[in-house]
Amino acid sequence: MLGARRVGELLAKHGVRPNKALGQNFVIDPNTIRKVVETARLEPGDTVLEIGPGVGSLTRGLAGSAMRVIAVEIDERLIPVLQEGTSDLPNVEIVLGDALKADLGSFGATKLVANLPYNVAVPIVMRALETAPDITRLTVMAQREVGERLAASPGSKVYGAPSVLVRYYSEPLVVARIARNAFFPVPNVDSVLVELTRHEPPNVEGAAFFAVVRAAFGQRRKSIRNSLGSLLGPVADETIHAAGLDPSVRPEQLTLEGFVTLARLVSKE
């Protein structure tokens, strides 16, 4: 694996400084890398899509357990660094690209692993869940606040639309906290490791479900009667009661099943 000294040498050799705007904090701690690989539950036949490989420290750990690693990096400056850092690994393919624009389902990946900046963590996770059904498990490192929001349960202070949408596709779990000194440069925020295990989505019309969830959380801390009023109109109370729900409850108190029931009623109208 690439320790802090080797990472520093590679970056210096290629004249690259971590870009704060891209949230570049490269994982360098061997124990953290082992924990990520263990959580990913890689098998010899797996193709891993790694988003944001940086200098390749985590890439090396993944390559030792999977058949193939496709490393998608947005920063062109890091490509030669990544190439040198993984030059002895024939099962690593490096791709210059933006994970928010790439067709994530086109890589033939069965697992996804990523070290994600806070501002793109939710969009990338949702894009993978929505467009790459062959990826059965996602293992992501993210800022603690973001990771906990992804895995939040009903009633939690951070439970919101991303939490519900993630649960539509998968079972999320915060596996561990990650120390700040596991990264270079050391970030100013704490991180967590989150695993998302894909399951079959509920039997409900997707468009109706997404519309209900987004409308519900469009006005946080308001009752579902108020927040869903614009979507359901004058039959809001009737529809909510028909779903077996109390119109006075707040969206952050509803389970996935509650949103599914509402969506089924909406799709019938």
Side-chain angles (χ1 to χ4, degrees), residues 154 159 164 209 212-213 216-217 223-228 232 235-266:
Y159 183 71
V164 181
F209 177 82
V212 167
V213 172
F217 288 99
S223 68
I224 56 174
R225 173 193 290 118
N226 292 332
S227 59
L228 292 176
L232 301 178
V235 297
D237 269 26
E238 179 184 342
T239 303
I240 294 168
H241 278 299
L245 302 171
D246 181 350
S248 67
V249 303
R250 294 179 177 179
E252 52 266 36
Q253 296 172 293
L254 288 189
T255 63
L256 173 65
E257 291 72 22
F259 284 108
V260 168
T261 303
L262 280 170
R264 286 173 179 157
L265 292 171
V266 169

Side-chain angles (χ1 to χ4, degrees), residues 55-160:
V55 296
S57 48
L58 177 56
T59 313
R60 296 189 64 84
L62 297 171
S65 299
M67 178 182 70
R68 183 181 178 212
V69 177
I70 302 171
V72 178
E73 174 58 54
I74 192 173
D75 189 350
E76 187 173 7
R77 303 174 309 147
L78 285 173
I79 298 300
V81 182
L82 185 57
Q83 289 173 333
E84 181 171 348
T86 61
S87 60
D88 59 329
L89 303 173
N91 62 334
V92 172
E93 177 184 346
I94 299 169
V95 176
L96 175 64
D98 184 349
L100 287 174
K101 297 178 180 178
D103 179 0
L104 301 184
S106 67
F107 295 106
T110 51
K111 303 284 174 63
L112 180 146
V113 177
N115 177 20
L116 298 174
Y118 77 95
N119 59 323
V120 296
V122 172
I124 287 178
V125 166
M126 289 310 306
R127 185 174 176 84
L129 289 171
E130 291 171 358
T131 67
D134 290 337
I135 294 177
T136 60
R137 179 181 295 274
L138 292 77
T139 305
V140 300
M141 287 180 284
Q143 181 179 333
R144 179 182 172 187
E145 177 186 348
V146 176
E148 291 181 346
R149 185 181 301 127
L150 287 172
S153 300
S156 166
K157 292 181 179 179
V158 295
Y159 183 71

Side-chain angles (χ1 to χ4, degrees), residues 19-41:
N19 187 324
K20 289 185 178 180
L22 292 177
Q24 290 178 342
N25 299 97
F26 310 121
V27 59
I28 55 171
D29 176 56
N31 290 329
T32 299
I33 292 171
R34 292 187 190 99
K35 182 64 176 177
V36 173
V37 174
E38 174 188 318
T39 301
R41 301 185 195 178

Side-chain angles (χ1 to χ4, degrees), residues 7-18:
V7 167
E9 291 173 350
L10 285 170
L11 291 173
K13 177 179 178 179
H14 294 275
V16 177
R17 291 185 177 182

